Amino acid sequence: MDQPYRTRAVVVPLDPTPAQAQLLRSYCGASRFAYNWAIARVKENLETRSLERTSGINEADRTKSLNWSPFTLTPLWNAEKDEVAPWHRDVTMHAFRCGVTNASVALKNFSQSKSGARQGRPAGFPTFKNRHSKQSVTFTETRTQAGWFAEDSRHVRLILPRYATDPRIARRREQLQWLHTTESLRRLKKKVAGGEWTVQAVTISYNGGRWQASFSVRQLVIAVPADTRLLGPLVGVDLGVKHLATLSVPVAGVSDMNGHVANPRHLDAELERLAKLNRQLARCDKGSKNCSKILKRHQLLCGRVTRTRDLYLHRLTTTLSGSFETVVLEDLNVAGMVKKKTNNTTKGLSRSILDAGFYELRRQLTYKAEDRGHRVVVIDRFYPSSKRCSHCGETRAKLALGDRVFECSTCGVSLERDVNAARNIHREGLRL
C-alpha cells in the first residue's frame, strides 16, 4: 500500500548581500520577461486564428492552435531566446523556465474557469506583468537534495548561470553562490538528508520589504495513534472583532475564564506610523532616492504587521489543534462582511475584519488538525448562532450588531453575545 504524502512550505528569511540582491532582481525580471513573452505568443496566436475565422478561411488552412502546456511553450522559448533575449546567458535558465511555467498555469486556470471545471472566482485571461509586480523566481532542480544547504545550515544555494558573459559573475562566483539565512536550517537539512522530506521546489521572493526562500517539501504522513490524542473532544469557536475568538471551553493561557481570546489589532497599532509614511510617499518625487527609501520603510512596516499577525495566529491554532480532537467553526462570508453597508453600525468594520485574519486562522487550523489526526468541522454560514438561545433553543427574529448581550424572552437567560454563539456552535458541532 502506498504511503500517504503531503506537500508543505517551509519559509525562511534571507539576508543577501547587495550583489546577491541585484542578481535576484535580475532573475525575477527574467522570469517576468519570459512570462510576458509566453502570454504575448498565445495572444498573437488567438488573434491570428480569430482573424482567419472571420475572413472565412477553412479550418485546414488556418494557423495551428498553440498548445498552452509548458512542454510546448518551453521549446519555443529556447528557439527564440537568442533573438528576443540576447542577454539570457547572464541569467540562469531556471528563471526563464519559471516564467514560462507560470504563464502556462495562468492560462490553464483561465481555460478551466471558462469551462466551469475550476471552482472559486472566475479567472480572466492573464495580463502582462510590470516591474511593480511581485518579484519571485522558482528553482525546480531536484537532482541533489542535500546540495541546497551549506555545511553550517545557515546558507541556501543560489543557482548561478552556467555560461555567464558578465565578468563580475565569473569573478565573484563563490561569493554569490550561498545566500545567508537569518534562521537555522538544521531541522530541514536533517529531514531532507534522512529521506523523510523531499525538496520539490525552492521559491525566492521579495515580500514585506525583505527576501525569503520558500521550500516546497513532500512529507510522509504518519498516522497519530488514538491513545496519544490530547485533552477535550470538541470545542466551538466563534470568531469576531471585539474578541478574536470566543471558545466554548476555556483554555488556560489562551483565553480568559469566559473563553475570550484577545484581538491584538496589529494593524491598528501601526496606523499612525503608516499614515505618516503614506503622506511622505505622496509628497516625494516619484523615482527619486528618497522615494525609494520611504517605500522600503513602508514595505518593512507592512511586512512586520503581517508577520506579527501570523505568529499570533500560529500560537493560537497550534494550541487549539493539539488540545481538542474536533474544532468547530462557522463558514463566514468574509468577502461579504468587508463590503461597506449603509447601516452605521457596520460601516468602518472592513479594516478590522481583514486585520483579524479569519481565513488564515481557519487555514492554519485545518492543516494542523490533519497533521495530528484531528478534524475541523465547519457549520453552515446561515446557522443562527448569535440569534439562538443556547439554553432553550429559542431563535430571535432580529439581533442588532450593537447588542452585545443576548437576552432570551422565553427562558429569561442573559448571556454575552459571543459566549452564547460559541455554545451554539459547540452544540451544532456535536449534532453534525
Side-chain angles (χ1 to χ4, degrees):
M1 182 179 178
D2 296 337
Q3 295 288 347
Y5 288 90
R6 67 188 173 205
T7 301
R8 291 288 186 266
V10 180
V11 181
V12 293
L14 300 176
D15 183 25
T17 63
Q20 289 175 336
Q22 179 63 30
L23 187 60
L24 289 175
R25 284 192 291 268
S26 65
Y27 280 11
C28 297
S31 176
R32 182 177 67 249
F33 183 87
Y35 177 93
N36 292 337
W37 172 88
I39 299 300
R41 283 297 305 267
V42 171
K43 289 187 67 175
E44 180 183 358
N45 180 262
L46 291 176
E47 292 173 357
T48 302
R49 287 180 55 84
S50 177
L51 183 60
E52 293 175 350
R53 188 183 302 109
T54 55
S55 301
I57 301 177
N58 297 330
E59 180 67 28
D61 299 333
R62 296 177 191 171
T63 303
K64 292 185 179 180
S65 177
L66 183 61
N67 194 341
W68 295 353
S69 69
F71 304 103
T72 301
L73 296 176
T74 302
L76 287 178
W77 163 258
N78 292 331
E80 298 183 10
K81 63 183 179 181
D82 290 331
E83 179 181 355
V84 298
W87 42 267
H88 69 88
R89 296 186 183 276
D90 292 333
V91 184
T92 178
M93 63 177 182
H94 294 274
F96 300 107
R97 186 182 301 172
C98 169
V100 174
T101 303
N102 291 342
S104 177
V105 172
L107 291 168
K108 180 181 178 182
N109 292 338
F110 162 72
S111 177
Q112 292 182 348
S113 177
K114 188 177 180 180
S115 62
R118 185 176 185 270
Q119 298 180 354
R121 294 182 178 180
F125 191 85
T127 58
F128 295 109
K129 295 183 179 180
N130 54 30
R131 62 187 183 91
H132 301 292
S133 303
K134 181 180 179 180
Q135 302 183 56
S136 66
V137 60
T138 302
F139 304 102
T140 56
E141 186 182 23
T142 57
R143 292 177 295 178
T144 57
Q145 290 291 311
W148 286 111
F149 316 102
E151 295 182 359
D152 59 354
S153 301
R154 283 285 184 174
H155 292 80
V156 178
R157 182 168 65 95
L158 174 63
I159 300 179
L160 299 177
R162 184 176 300 179
Y163 308 106
T165 59
D166 191 344
R168 293 175 297 179
I169 297 179
R171 185 170 59 251
R172 307 176 63 179
R173 200 171 188 87
E174 295 183 358
Q175 300 177 1
L176 297 174
Q177 186 176 7
W178 295 102
L179 296 169
H180 181 258
T181 63
T182 59
E183 296 179 2
S184 177
L185 301 172
R186 186 176 293 108
R187 179 173 180 267
L188 176 61
K189 180 181 177 181
K190 182 179 179 180
K191 293 285 187 179
V192 172
E196 300 180 39
W197 294 359
T198 303
V199 178
Q200 295 180 320
V202 178
T203 300
I204 299 179
S205 59
Y206 188 77
N207 190 15
R210 68 177 185 179
W211 292 95
Q212 64 182 22
S214 176
F215 291 85
S216 178
V217 295
R218 182 183 174 94
Q219 305 175 358
L220 176 65
V221 178
I222 301 177
V224 180
D227 55 352
T228 62
R229 295 183 177 180
L230 305 178
L231 306 177
L234 186 143
V235 62
V237 181
D238 177 64
L239 303 179
V241 175
K242 182 178 180 181
H243 306 288
L244 177 61
T246 302
L247 311 180
S248 61
V249 181
V251 178
V254 176
S255 66
D256 56 12
M257 297 183 60
N258 295 323
H260 296 312
V261 179
N263 186 5
R265 301 177 182 268
H266 303 283
L267 182 60
D268 289 349
E270 303 290 349
L271 278 180
E272 184 176 352
R273 186 176 302 176
L274 186 62
K276 181 179 179 180
L277 290 176
N278 287 333
R279 289 194 299 268
Q280 293 177 354
L281 275 176
R283 295 169 182 172
C284 66
D285 295 332
K286 304 302 179 182
S288 62
K289 292 184 178 180
N290 186 45
C291 183
S292 301
K293 293 180 182 178
I294 299 175
L295 182 61
K296 180 66 177 297
R297 291 167 55 190
H298 188 278
Q299 292 173 343
L300 288 173
L301 178 61
C302 294
R304 183 167 67 249
V305 171
T306 302
R307 290 188 294 270
T308 307
R309 181 191 301 115
D310 290 344
L311 181 60
Y312 185 84
L313 293 179
H314 273 297
R315 292 173 179 172
L316 173 61
T317 54
T318 300
T319 303
L320 292 180
S321 61
S323 302
F324 298 94
E325 295 184 7
T326 304
V327 180
V328 188
L329 298 172
E330 284 184 294
D331 185 17
L332 297 177
N333 182 19
V334 179
M337 295 168 61
V338 298
K339 291 182 179 179
K340 291 185 178 180
K341 309 291 184 180
T342 56
N343 189 357
N344 294 329
T345 57
T346 58
K347 187 176 182 180
L349 285 178
S350 301
R351 185 179 62 216
S352 300
I353 293 174
L354 293 176
D355 186 26
F358 294 154
Y359 175 79
E360 179 64 17
L361 188 147
R362 175 177 169 179
R363 186 191 69 85
Q364 293 182 14
L365 266 179
T366 301
Y367 81 80
K368 290 180 181 181
E370 292 177 355
D371 293 347
R372 292 165 172 79
H374 302 171
R375 62 179 178 176
V376 173
V377 176
V378 181
I379 65 176
D380 189 78
R381 66 178 57 175
F382 298 106
Y383 176 75
S385 59
S386 299
K387 298 180 181 180
R388 178 169 295 181
C389 179
S390 59
H391 184 261
C392 66
E394 183 68 20
T395 303
R396 292 180 54 175
K398 293 182 179 181
L399 183 65
L401 187 60
D403 298 337
R404 306 310 304 173
V405 178
F406 178 88
E407 296 180 355
C408 182
S409 59
T410 302
C411 63
V413 68
S414 179
L415 288 173
E416 190 175 353
R417 177 194 183 105
D418 297 336
V419 175
N420 178 70
R423 293 181 181 180
N424 285 326
I425 294 173
H426 185 113
R427 181 175 301 176
E428 181 68 8
L430 288 176
R431 187 189 69 82
L432 293 177

